Amino acid sequence: MLLSDGPSEDAIAQLDLFDRLQLQSVIAVCRVSTTLSDAGRKLFDQSRRQKAVANDADRLRRFLHRFGLNRARLTQTY
């Protein structure tokens, strides 16, 4: 499971299915993207068009922070 490198099992158990699925998808995109900005462009491909300033990396950084994650942690090779 992709969440195994993220929040603890107890924290994951407290998440709604919606949040678990969303987090799992975000982690997968981060792992195949070259940078946080690249991942943000992929993840916010529609909503970024409606913003005056598209700061996708910051939006993604804040999302990951909610779960105690950062891109470096997600892309580490074990």
Side-chain angles (χ1 to χ4, degrees):
M1 180 177 189
L2 289 174
L3 293 179
S4 62
D5 297 330
S8 69
E9 288 184 34
D10 290 337
I12 291 170
Q14 297 300 313
L15 294 175
D16 290 330
L17 176 60
F18 177 85
D19 291 327
R20 284 193 310 265
L21 294 173
Q22 184 178 36
L23 182 57
Q24 187 173 9
S25 295
V26 168
I27 290 171
V29 170
C30 286
R31 287 188 172 159
V32 299
S33 299
T34 55
T35 64
L36 196 63
S37 293
D38 180 40
R41 282 189 295 273
K42 292 174 185 172
L43 291 163
F44 302 116
D45 65 327
Q46 297 302 310
S47 61
R48 70 188 312 268
R49 297 175 192 193
Q50 300 164 358
K51 297 195 173 279
V53 176
N55 192 345
D56 306 318
D58 185 58
R59 288 175 70 188
L60 182 52
R61 189 177 296 111
R62 285 184 281 133
F63 174 84
L64 292 172
H65 180 75
R66 285 183 22 212
F67 299 100
L69 297 171
N70 60 48
R71 185 175 184 282
R73 183 172 172 193
L74 296 177
T75 57
Q76 290 175 346
T77 305
Y78 295 95

